[in-house]
Amino acid sequence: MTGGAERTRTRAVEAFVLLAALGILVVSLVLDDRAPGFGPGADLANGPGWPYTALGLALTVLAAVVLEHDPRQRFGWALAALGLFWSVDGLSQSYVGFAIRADDALAWSNAALWVFNRLGAFLPATVAILLMIFPTGRFLPGRWGWAGRVSLGAMLLAVCVLLVNPLADETAYATLPPGVDVDAATLPLPDSFITAVMPAEIAAQTAGFLVAMASVVARYRRSAGVERDRLRWLLWSVLAMALLIPLSFASELAVVQGVLLFVVVLLPAAAMTVGIVEPDVVPIEDLVGRTVLYGALSLLIVGVDLGVLALLTTFLGGSLDQRQVVLVVLLLTALLYGPLRLQLRRLVRRVMLGRRADPYDAIAGLASTLETTDDAADQLAAVTRSVAAAFGVRFVSVEVERPGGEHLVASYGVRPAETRTLPITFRDAQIGRLVLPARGLRSRLSRRDEQFLGDLVRQAATAARASRMADELQLGRERMVLAREEERRRIRRDLHDGLGPALSGVVFRLESARLLVDRDPSAAKGHLEETSSDVREVVADVRRLVHDLRPPALDDRGLVGALSQLAEQQPYETTIDADGVTALPAAVEVAAYRIAAEALTNTARHADAGSSTVRLVASDGELLVEIADDGRGIAPDRQAGIGLISLRERAEELGGRSEVSCPRTGGTVVRAWLPLRPVSSEEPSRD
């Protein structure tokens, strides 16, 4: 069968189930409306049946949502069957109330009584088995799986006993009309057996349901990935059920008990549906926190109300009427709700999510710690402690990149098997990463939590950046000192080994020529010629030294003229584009000239280019130096050589930046942005 045909069949079954549940609800409403308000039928039905048929319709709607999302999802079909089961049970209750009158009963009354009193006892077991096998369709492995099987077997056994167990003795329902038998299809068991079995049946049903709820917690703790996301919703529903069930026992009002039963049955089904269809529809952590908060608040207020009423009854001798009881309850609720809510809210959020609810305290504490700590390792350790305390997690690791490829790492707690990594950025540049546990409720981050974590980590980034910049500054100072001393050594070597001996030779030859000029003029003339040659070499060495310090062409012709002169020396056509570039700081001129010279040299050596363009643009307080050629570009896997590294260093020395790229159209583009400083009044201006 094709996918389209399967989808059509699934939708047809969905429509049938929905229409059946809706029709049963309509019939149930009509029967409840026409049923007498008192009499044996009303006593046996013990209320209208339409709330249960409405619950059945709600369950079938949830089933349709699941099947629309995934027709192969077996849970959807199980939910549809459960919805029809509740609908039939509610319809039988409505029919009992309508069909059994004081003096007669309609047909099928005994069948409706049997479905309502006997078959309906299977409903808690159906909900329990869904809790035990969701979302895999299988019981948990190990002891929890055996506990589930045993408890479910006990629940089913208790229901089977109920099927054959008489409800009462012969005189219990003396007012029933002829033909109505509340104990149809049961065994004639003695009253002593009934008295002994009933508590065991209740205990088995209660224990089975509690084991089903506990198995959800156990499965959640073992789960991971998508299964964990789905179970997170079911875990919330179990938590809500654990809070609502005691409230249903505490209330004696049938309406309240009916509403709570409706919610208790519908909650896990709705949670499973959301977990399958859209587990991230809302932040489940906030929902869990609010459920715990208001559930605990309700239990506390109800407990206080009952305690105060018991004391008043004891001291006043039971003289309180209903109006006075209501007034006392309302007064206590008004006085206790506000303070208890605030205190419980803080406690619940602190227990569940750590101190993330008080971001100012965490950020202020971290800032104070960072101000009094200078060592980078201690600062990172303070960050890990602050994040762990704020988010209530057992492991935090902060890793920061340091100059030279080193990493500074600080950790708190024991690293779990599964972790998640978040980048630490500073001014859009990643300078490290934050590692947190991947599992656990506290590891889930809402949008507000991510903003808070960003504020917290931003201080860590600032501290780490400051530490990193301090290290870079120290390394830069060391490089500057080393470069200065190397430059001094080179100049001293050139002067001592080159100019010094050359000038000494000039002096020696001049002295020899002076001694020979009178007695051997021709020899003196030879010495003078050799001296002239030596002096020319000395002048060339001096020019080379001066050029290394600062190209003379910059002083003679300016940056644009010096680049034009440099372009004429290239073996390929080079164009200079520098409109609007006038007076520049001396350091910027030298850096721009050196960067352009290095780029043109690399082009001549490696690019096999036919032409290149040098473009200068001064704007927004910086000078853009761009050298583009039409050569073969740079291979992606080629490491940067000394030339490219020197380009970057020359730009960074002035606080600028550089980049080298190879466009798809071919060639290589070198760009450097050099910040411009105001030209000093002592510095000559050049055109």
Side-chain angles (χ1 to χ4, degrees):
M1 180 179 292
T2 63
E6 182 180 1
R7 170 68 72 176
T8 301
R9 188 184 69 173
T10 300
R11 288 180 173 172
V13 176
E14 290 175 22
F16 172 77
V17 172
L18 286 172
L19 289 175
L22 180 60
I24 291 174
L25 174 61
V26 173
V27 173
S28 179
L29 288 170
V30 172
L31 293 176
D32 289 334
D33 180 64
R34 296 183 179 181
F38 57 90
D43 294 339
L44 290 172
N46 196 27
W50 71 263
Y52 302 99
T53 57
L55 178 60
L57 177 61
L59 293 174
T60 56
V61 169
L62 294 177
V65 172
V66 174
L67 293 173
E68 277 296 310
H69 176 74
D70 183 5
R72 297 168 298 179
Q73 181 61 249
R74 290 178 295 177
F75 167 73
W77 298 112
L79 198 58
L82 181 62
L84 290 178
F85 196 170
W86 277 95
S87 296
V88 172
D89 182 75
L91 179 62
S92 65
Q93 183 176 357
S94 298
Y95 189 76
V96 167
F98 170 78
I100 300 177
R101 308 298 173 95
D103 51 357
D104 65 340
L106 300 180
W108 302 101
S109 296
N110 286 334
L113 265 175
W114 187 84
V115 171
F116 173 54
N117 288 330
R118 312 287 175 169
L119 196 61
F122 280 101
L123 290 173
T126 59
V127 177
I129 192 172
L130 286 179
L131 294 177
M132 292 178 184
I133 66 174
F134 181 83
T136 62
R138 298 182 298 274
F139 286 94
L140 277 171
R143 58 182 182 180
W144 276 108
W146 285 109
R149 292 182 180 93
V150 171
S151 61
L152 184 62
M155 293 180 74
L156 295 177
L157 180 61
V159 175
C160 292
V161 172
L162 180 63
L163 292 179
V164 298
N165 189 25
L167 294 181
D169 57 24
E170 298 178 355
T171 61
Y173 297 101
T175 59
L176 292 178
V180 176
D181 185 5
V182 296
D183 290 330
T186 61
L187 299 177
L189 301 175
D191 293 342
S192 58
F193 179 81
I194 300 174
T195 305
V197 166
M198 288 301 294
E201 292 178 356
I202 297 174
Q205 296 279 8
T206 304
F209 212 81
L210 292 178
V211 170
M213 295 170 64
S215 67
V216 173
V217 179
R219 189 185 292 270
Y220 174 79
R221 292 175 63 88
R222 299 181 185 181
S223 63
V226 177
E227 180 180 338
R228 191 176 184 86
D229 291 337
R230 290 176 172 176
L231 280 170
R232 190 171 285 113
W233 280 93
L234 187 57
L235 181 67
W236 163 76
S237 70
V238 167
L239 175 63
M241 290 162 61
L243 295 171
L244 291 174
I245 291 174
L247 290 177
S248 66
F249 291 144
S251 176
E252 297 182 356
L253 298 176
V255 175
V256 175
Q257 292 179 344
V259 171
L260 291 178
L261 176 63
F262 185 94
V263 174
V264 166
V265 175
L266 190 61
L267 266 180
M272 295 177 192
T273 302
V274 175
I276 291 175
V277 177
E278 191 64 48
D280 296 327
V281 62
V282 295
I284 186 64
E285 293 78 10
D286 291 343
L287 194 58
V288 171
R290 293 179 183 275
T291 301
V292 174
L293 170 63
Y294 290 108
L297 185 62
S298 301
L299 291 176
L300 278 176
I301 291 178
V302 169
V304 172
D305 289 342
L306 293 177
V308 171
L309 289 175
L311 289 175
L312 291 176
T313 302
T314 301
F315 287 107
L316 299 179
S319 60
L320 290 176
D321 58 22
Q322 185 174 2
R323 292 182 58 187
Q324 291 172 330
V325 170
V326 172
L327 181 61
V328 170
V329 170
L330 292 177
L331 182 61
L332 288 174
T333 302
L335 293 175
L336 295 176
Y337 179 79
L340 280 178
R341 178 179 176 275
L342 292 177
Q343 295 299 324
L344 279 175
R345 184 174 184 273
R346 293 174 182 174
L347 178 62
V348 168
R349 290 193 64 85
R350 178 67 60 88
V351 171
M352 293 184 57
L353 302 175
R355 294 194 303 165
R356 66 185 74 181
D358 303 315
Y360 176 78
D361 294 341
I363 294 176
L366 177 59
S368 177
T369 303
L370 295 178
E371 287 178 359
T372 57
T373 306
D374 296 328
D375 184 70
D378 293 340
Q379 289 179 337
L380 291 183
V383 171
T384 60
R385 291 192 299 269
S386 297
V387 173
F391 286 84
V393 293
R394 297 182 178 180
F395 172 78
V396 178
S397 178
V398 177
E399 302 177 12
V400 176
E401 300 175 2
R402 293 173 63 86
E406 301 178 7
H407 285 79
L408 185 63
V409 181
S411 299
Y412 174 87
V414 179
R415 191 183 190 98
E418 300 180 22
T419 59
R420 58 183 304 191
T421 301
L422 301 174
I424 300 178
T425 59
F426 183 82
R427 295 182 179 176
D428 299 329
Q430 182 173 341
I431 63 172
R433 59 179 189 159
L434 177 70
V435 183
L436 297 172
R439 298 181 60 179
L441 181 62
R442 294 178 174 180
S443 300
R444 299 279 295 184
L445 302 179
S446 64
R447 183 174 300 178
R448 180 182 178 185
D449 293 337
E450 290 179 353
Q451 293 176 351
F452 170 43
L453 184 59
D455 295 336
L456 198 61
V457 173
R458 190 172 295 112
Q459 294 193 61
T462 304
R465 182 66 175 177
S467 174
R468 182 178 178 184
M469 291 178 66
D471 293 337
E472 290 179 346
L473 179 60
Q474 181 62 31
L475 290 177
R477 288 174 176 173
E478 293 175 1
R479 286 197 298 265
M480 289 179 62
V481 171
L482 291 175
R484 183 187 65 193
E485 295 303 320
E486 287 295 330
E487 186 69 13
R488 287 179 175 179
R489 180 186 296 178
R490 184 185 65 79
I491 295 174
R492 177 185 178 280
R493 185 173 60 248
D494 290 342
L495 293 177
H496 182 271
D497 299 340
L499 289 178
L503 291 176
S504 297
V506 169
V507 173
F508 177 76
R509 293 183 186 280
L510 287 175
E511 184 63 23
S512 298
R514 185 181 67 80
L515 295 175
L516 294 173
V517 68
D518 293 329
R519 68 173 186 268
D520 192 355
S522 60
K525 181 178 179 182
H527 282 296
L528 289 175
E529 290 177 354
E530 292 177 358
T531 301
S532 176
S533 177
D534 291 341
V535 169
R536 285 194 294 270
E537 291 180 2
V538 169
V539 171
D541 288 341
V542 171
R543 287 178 176 174
R544 179 178 57 80
L545 287 173
V546 171
H547 185 276
D548 289 341
L549 295 176
R550 176 179 171 84
L554 291 176
D555 295 326
D556 299 338
R557 307 178 62 177
L559 177 59
V560 177
L563 291 176
S564 299
Q565 186 182 52
L566 185 64
E568 296 172 358
Q569 302 171 5
Q570 304 307 315
Y572 47 82
E573 182 182 356
T574 303
T575 304
I576 307 298
D577 182 5
D579 292 339
V581 178
T582 55
L584 296 172
V588 175
E589 282 188 334
V590 174
Y593 181 84
R594 298 294 190 196
I595 290 172
E598 185 65 40
L600 293 175
T601 300
N602 287 337
T603 300
R605 291 177 179 175
H606 310 294
D608 193 22
S611 63
S612 67
T613 301
V614 179
R615 189 166 68 96
L616 303 177
V617 179
S619 64
D620 298 331
E622 63 181 8
L623 175 68
L624 168 63
V625 183
E626 181 183 276
I627 305 93
D629 63 56
D630 59 357
R632 58 172 174 264
I634 303 175
D637 57 347
R638 182 177 178 182
Q639 295 184 350
I642 297 177
L644 296 180
I645 294 175
S646 66
L647 291 178
R648 184 178 69 248
E649 290 180 346
R650 289 187 184 279
E652 291 178 352
E653 285 175 354
L654 298 180
R657 65 191 189 282
S658 64
E659 70 174 20
V660 179
S661 61
C662 297
R664 294 182 178 179
T665 55
T668 304
V669 179
V670 177
R671 293 186 181 90
W673 291 267
L674 307 176
L676 298 174
R677 304 290 189 270
V679 179
S680 173
S681 59
E682 299 178 358
E683 195 174 55
S685 299
R686 310 172 197 83
D687 294 332

